[in-house]
């Protein structure tokens, strides 16, 4: 019989050889998107699929803040294409912001060539999925305390409703209390904090919701402003390398529909995903803590200090190439 000391030592040595992702549970993630308004949402979602399959994260839900039902239909098509049709979807409802069809949702799911449909889809799916904030409450209630990463790359509508929600079948806690207990951090693509600020799109389309979130969110918020992603242009050539089927893949189909090729799209939404999942790689810097305020016209301001819980992301010139290279890898399914 081996001494207990030897058994314990051997077990500990074995443990040190186990990859980190096998030793720890992947972080639960909720992704909130205005899918259809820009192609960077599709690229950001494909990044999350890569992280999920590498067990870096556990993508618990995708919630949609664009008020057109085909935003749900397209997102479901993406999930199924990547073999992740089980990931639940939530929807803001047809009364949500930007109710128009968008630049690629319907065009992609209905795409045909010579009468042949490329994709199968359910045009009534938006009627069958839960309201976004309700799905968020369900995921949060089931999660370990302080574990959930929320990434919001569209409007603040859904998370404002989450904050203002009351007790329900999932939790006796109100929304603000539930967030405070369960959410580790909120990463948002929102605002413009450069030298000449203007009302940024994600904010201005629901100013009231953005003000609610930045004034009432109980934990930390890390915001990526317009000025960050506007300096990073996704190399569209990589789509040909990673997705040789081209139009038969919904990511490429959507990218081709959104603008006339060739174009390298700005990567606003991808910045929040990368910083949320790989903060230790130091692709971006974060400011000292402070406070983000949303003005009545939708302009955003950031002031350091004062005990604030907000930070903004900063991009150094030397990091542009490494960031773009990481975008290409993760969008292309390479972890």
């Amino acid at each position: 019989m081996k001494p207990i000391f030897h058994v314990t030592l051997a077990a500990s040595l074995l443990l040190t050889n186990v990859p980190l992702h096998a030793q720890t549970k992947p972080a639960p993630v909720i992704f909130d998107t205005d899918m259809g308004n820009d192609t960077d949402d599709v690229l950001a979602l494909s990044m999350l699929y890569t992280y999920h399959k590498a067990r870096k994260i556990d993508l618990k839900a995708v919630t949609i803040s664009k008020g057109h039902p085909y935003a749900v239909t397209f997102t479901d098509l993406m999930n199924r294409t990547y073999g992740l049709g089980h990931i639940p979807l939530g929807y803001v409802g047809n009364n949500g912001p930007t109710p128009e069809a968008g630049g690629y949702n319907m065009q992609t799911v209905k795409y045909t060539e010579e009468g042949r449909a490329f994709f199968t889809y359910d045009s009534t799916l938006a009627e069958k999925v839960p309201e976004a904030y309700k799905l968020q409450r369900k995921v949060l209630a089931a999660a370990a305390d302080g574990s959930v990463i929320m990434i919001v790359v569209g409007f603040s509508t859904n998370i404002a409703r989450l904050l203002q929600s009351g007790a329900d079948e999932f939790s006796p806690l109100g929304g603000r209390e539930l967030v405070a207990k369960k959410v580790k951090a909120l990463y948002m693509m929102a605002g413009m904090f450069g030298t000449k600020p203007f009302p940024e799109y994600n904010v201005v389309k629901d100013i009231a919701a953005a003000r609610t979130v930045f004034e009432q969110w109980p934990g930390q918020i890390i915001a990526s402003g317009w000025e960050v992603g506007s300096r990073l242009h996704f190399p569209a050539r990589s789509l040909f390398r990673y997705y040789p089927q081209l139009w038969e893949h919904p990511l490429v189909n959507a990218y081709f529909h959104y603008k006339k090729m060739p174009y390298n799209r700005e990567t606003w939404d991808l910045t929040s995903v990368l910083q949320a999942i790989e903060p230790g790689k130091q692709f971006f810097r974060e400011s000292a803590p402070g406070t983000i305020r949303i003005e009545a016209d939708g302009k955003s301001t950031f002031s350091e200090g004062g005990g604030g819980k907000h930070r903004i992301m900063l991009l150094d010139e030397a990091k542009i190439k490494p960031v773009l290279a990481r975008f290409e890898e993760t969008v292309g399914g390479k972890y």
Side-chain angles (χ1 to χ4, degrees):
M1 183 177 186
K2 293 181 180 179
I4 293 175
F5 171 77
H6 289 162
V7 174
T8 305
L9 177 60
S12 114
L13 288 172
L14 282 171
L15 183 60
T16 61
N17 291 325
V18 177
L20 180 61
H21 67 77
Q23 294 182 34
T24 59
K25 283 188 175 182
V29 170
I30 296 173
F31 181 59
D32 193 88
T33 168
D34 62 322
M35 188 67 74
N37 288 329
D38 202 314
T39 192
D40 60 334
D41 294 80
V42 192
L43 299 173
L45 182 57
S46 68
M47 289 177 70
L48 288 169
Y49 293 147
T50 297
Y51 290 126
H52 179 87
K53 290 184 175 184
R55 290 191 54 77
K56 180 70 175 179
I57 66 168
D58 184 1
L59 185 56
K60 289 292 190 181
V62 179
T63 53
I64 295 157
S65 61
K66 178 174 175 59
H68 189 280
Y70 270 78
V72 181
T73 306
F74 175 84
T75 305
D76 172 66
L77 172 60
M78 283 287 288
N79 280 1
R80 289 186 288 109
T81 299
Y82 284 83
L84 298 170
H86 62 280
I87 293 176
L89 303 178
Y91 179 45
V92 68
N94 295 341
N95 63 341
T98 62
E100 64 276 5
Y104 54 82
N105 286 332
M106 291 183 69
Q107 297 93 320
T108 295
V109 299
K110 293 185 173 184
Y111 185 72
T112 63
E113 278 188 9
E114 299 179 349
R116 179 175 73 92
F118 278 27
F119 308 112
T120 60
Y121 63 93
D122 181 355
S123 62
T124 66
L125 186 62
E127 303 168 13
K128 305 170 186 176
V129 302
E131 190 168 351
Y133 84 90
K134 291 289 286 186
L135 177 57
Q136 291 169 351
R137 284 188 60 89
K138 180 179 181 180
V139 172
L140 291 178
D145 292 355
S147 67
V148 179
I149 297 170
M150 296 192 71
I151 305 172
V152 177
V153 298
F155 319 122
S156 298
T157 312
N158 289 329
I159 53 172
R161 292 179 182 178
L162 168 64
L163 282 175
Q164 296 169 334
S165 64
D168 60 7
E169 67 271 31
F170 303 120
S171 173
L173 300 177
R176 198 167 187 275
E177 293 74 23
L178 186 61
V179 165
K181 184 176 183 181
K182 300 292 185 174
V183 177
K184 180 179 180 181
L186 169 61
Y187 290 82
M188 298 183 72
M189 192 281 116
M192 197 291 186
F193 308 100
T195 54
K196 295 180 180 180
F198 56 81
E200 186 270 323
Y201 183 81
N202 283 351
V203 172
V204 79
K205 288 299 179 179
D206 195 341
I207 295 173
R211 297 184 85 174
T212 294
V213 171
F214 283 110
E215 291 172 7
Q216 298 183 22
W217 192 263
Q220 60 176 319
I221 299 176
I222 298 92
S224 179
W226 180 93
E227 70 282 358
V228 178
S230 66
R231 296 169 60 197
L232 296 158
H233 293 74
F234 185 80
R237 67 180 184 276
S238 68
L239 297 178
F240 296 88
R241 181 167 73 253
Y242 288 114
Y243 300 99
Q245 64 270 57
L246 296 181
W247 286 85
E248 296 192 27
H249 195 287
L251 183 157
V252 183
N253 197 300
Y255 197 95
F256 282 17
H257 269 119
Y258 187 67
K259 284 182 179 292
K260 184 178 180 180
M261 286 288 285
Y263 70 98
N264 295 337
R265 189 57 175 160
E266 291 88 339
T267 59
W268 295 288
D269 295 351
L270 287 70
T271 61
S272 287
V273 171
L274 184 58
Q275 186 65 358
I277 311 306
E278 300 194 69
K281 296 292 183 66
Q282 298 181 331
F283 290 112
F284 304 97
R285 289 186 295 114
E286 293 181 5
S287 70
T291 301
I292 293 170
R293 291 185 173 84
I294 306 300
E295 307 298 334
D297 63 355
K299 287 182 181 178
S300 48
T301 62
F302 173 71
S303 303
E304 288 189 1
K309 296 181 179 179
H310 306 158
R311 297 176 186 263
I312 61 171
M313 288 167 50
L314 305 166
L315 175 63
D316 296 327
E317 188 71 21
K319 294 293 186 179
I320 289 178
K321 286 186 178 180
V323 168
L324 287 173
R326 191 59 177 145
F327 286 162
E328 286 190 78
E329 290 175 344
T330 50
V331 168
K334 182 181 177 182
Y335 183 73

